Amino acid sequence: MTILVTGGAGYIGSHTVIELLKQNEEVIIVDNFCNSVPEVLNRINIITGKDIIMHEGDVQDKEFLRDVFSQYDFDAVIHFAGYKAVGESVEQPLKYYQNNIAATLNLVEVMTEFNVKSIVFSSSATVYGMNNQVPFNETMPTSATNPYGYSKLMVEQILTDIANSDADWAVTNLRYFNPIGAHESSLIGECPNGIPNNLMPYVTQVAIGEREELSVFGNDYDTHDGTGVRDYIHVTDLAKGHVLAINYNRTHKGATVVNLGTGIGYSVLDLVKTFEEINKVPVPYKICDRRPGDIATCYADATKAKELLGWQAEKTLEDMVRDSWNWQAKNPHGYHTK
Ligand code: NAD
Ligand code: WQD
């Protein structure tokens, strides 16, 4: 049985491919490298000792997908491919709706043609919107405030409707909280283009001297130290959740939605201080205005993942900050030489 991983050269996809290979799953990657580089595949090969089969192409290209599907007997698809920058999605909504929604429609149409009816989808805690009380559980109302969030909500809905219309489908929508960290080998990790939008890559770039100081977006939130609280989850724990979701789909038809988070919230300053203590490297910061669209606190109720998938996060914040730093320190320019 073979699993197709779209976006398998990306940050979460590459870590998931490693965990799948460790479980002796056969894996085929599809990626167009719009936000990743081929070097990732060499690194996966070094870590796993296995050759990686990869088809370079765009999920928006249906003929390309048909060609890939005609070559393998896929058991399931893990669909990571998509764009993920919230701010960019506000500026370029069509780009996001094309790549996140239209491409997914292509994918599920081709899956249906080839009778591959199991999918694990990368959704996001962003679908909990601004109005729920923490911890966020899967029964809470969902909403969005930007095209990226709407694209995740819409794809969750589309996949659920497909499963409701055809009892052969197995759909697991995974809502990730805040993935950080890197593989313990320091060979793969997050490699953002340009100025990072997210906290952890910004912190590591300040720590290595690439950027002068971190801007902490607000210290007047109703949290223990006034800075925003999030559920940071190690990317390897997240990756393992996908292996279990694939197994779950093998025995359970229908659509489900599952949070992947630790259930613990840490503030921006908790993360910065832990990073400095564990790695013995300073992270200068200044307090700035709040970032529009941010909520004070976001963390998961992770009960369902444990009950349904037998999954729970194992790594601590200390593991996360150590692995993020080791990746950055050993690869100052990510996968690029300079
Ligand atoms: P990433 O950008 O590192 O990985 C996405 C990969 O998909 C990249 O390798 C990119 O080249 C590829 N890709 C994009 N569009 C494609 C297309 N049309 N055809 C083929 N390949 C394409 O992002 P990531 O952080 O690994 O996120 C993976 C998924 O998880 C995304 O769908 C993202 O929205 C979702 N997600 C991410 C986070 C996060 O904080 N990283 C949180 C919640 C959800
Ligand atoms: C975390 C905390 C910021 C940067 C985003 C997406 C979400 C999901 C994960 C894809 C917040 C603060 C940040 C900085 C800061 N992605 N911060 N200075 O906003 O929780 O979630 O990524 O699905 O959809 O919205 O993550 O890492 O940007 O921010 O103070 O330079 O760090 O205000 O409190 P966020 P983040």
Side-chain angles (χ1 to χ4, degrees):
M1 298 297 233
T2 305
I3 296 163
L4 173 64
V5 181
T6 74
Y11 173 47
I12 306 170
S14 57
H15 289 81
T16 301
V17 166
I18 288 170
E19 297 308 316
L20 289 166
L21 292 173
K22 268 168 68 178
Q23 298 303 317
N24 291 318
E25 301 282 4
E26 303 279 332
V27 176
I28 306 295
I29 296 175
V30 157
D31 204 300
N32 64 358
F33 297 124
C34 67
N35 198 33
S36 54
V37 289
E39 172 59 16
V40 177
L41 307 171
N42 297 330
R43 307 283 180 101
I44 298 175
N45 172 260
I46 295 168
I47 293 167
T48 62
K50 296 189 180 181
D51 288 331
I52 312 303
I53 305 176
M54 146 93 202
H55 292 262
E56 183 174 351
D58 195 321
V59 181
Q60 296 186 53
D61 179 350
K62 216 168 175 180
E63 282 312 312
F64 162 72
L65 285 180
R66 286 195 178 109
D67 182 49
V68 173
F69 273 76
S70 67
Q71 296 177 50
Y72 305 95
D73 183 15
F74 291 127
D75 165 26
V77 176
I78 307 182
H79 184 36
F80 292 106
Y83 296 139
K84 62 172 180 177
V86 172
E88 186 185 57
S89 81
V90 176
E91 285 154 21
Q92 301 182 60
L94 277 181
K95 176 176 165 178
Y96 274 70
Y97 290 134
Q98 277 294 342
N99 204 36
N100 293 6
I101 301 180
T104 306
L105 288 176
N106 271 345
L107 176 66
V108 290
E109 279 169 6
V110 175
M111 288 175 71
T112 307
E113 282 173 28
F114 285 83
N115 203 31
V116 180
K117 295 187 173 179
S118 167
I119 187 165
V120 173
F121 172 63
S122 300
S123 188
S124 167
T126 194
V127 302
Y128 289 110
M130 313 281 283
N131 300 320
N132 287 307
Q133 296 297 312
V134 285
F136 296 155
N137 75 59
E138 293 86 346
T139 65
M140 287 177 166
T142 52
S143 62
T145 52
N146 56 70
Y148 172 75
Y150 280 113
S151 78
K152 291 297 173 190
L153 270 182
M154 198 61 221
V155 171
E156 281 197 10
Q157 187 66 50
I158 289 165
L159 296 177
T160 303
D161 291 344
I162 290 170
N164 288 341
S165 74
D166 176 348
D168 289 338
W169 274 86
V171 169
T172 301
N173 291 311
L174 296 177
R175 292 179 181 161
Y176 313 154
F177 280 69
N178 288 58
I180 60 170
H183 192 259
E184 60 186 3
S185 65
S186 308
L187 285 168
I188 62 168
E190 190 170 9
C191 183
N193 277 327
I195 302 171
N197 298 309
N198 295 117
L199 178 62
M200 184 52 109
Y202 208 102
V203 166
T204 59
Q205 291 192 7
V206 170
I208 205 160
E210 173 99 13
R211 304 195 185 276
E212 203 176 322
E213 60 185 353
L214 171 72
S215 298
V216 174
F217 297 142
N219 68 347
D220 56 353
Y221 286 106
D222 184 15
T223 63
H224 64 273
D225 61 14
T227 65
V229 165
R230 296 291 182 272
D231 186 336
Y232 296 99
I233 173 170
H234 196 293
V235 65
T236 297
D237 277 337
L238 193 66
K240 288 177 179 169
H242 292 75
V243 178
L244 293 166
I246 284 288
N247 282 332
Y248 181 82
N249 276 9
R250 285 177 174 144
T251 50
H252 297 80
K253 306 287 183 203
T256 193
V257 50
V258 182
N259 286 340
L260 292 182
T262 64
I264 304 168
Y266 289 107
S267 73
V268 176
L269 292 182
D270 290 336
L271 185 143
V272 169
K273 284 174 185 158
T274 308
F275 186 97
E276 290 181 317
E277 273 166 30
I278 295 288
N279 298 318
K280 312 274 182 272
V281 46
V283 180
Y285 67 85
K286 64 174 178 207
I287 304 294
C288 301
D289 290 344
R290 292 181 178 192
R291 182 173 64 179
D294 274 356
I295 55 175
T297 305
C298 169
Y299 59 88
D301 177 339
T303 316
K304 190 173 176 186
K306 190 168 184 189
E307 285 174 1
L308 227 65
L309 308 181
W311 176 91
Q312 68 183 58
E314 288 165 358
K315 294 192 184 265
T316 62
L317 185 65
E318 285 75 11
D319 296 325
M320 300 182 219
V321 298
R322 185 198 57 233
D323 291 343
S324 287
W325 174 237
N326 284 341
W327 155 252
Q328 178 77 69
K330 290 180 186 164
N331 307 269
H333 306 288
Y335 296 109
H336 310 287
T337 45
K338 119 179 220 286

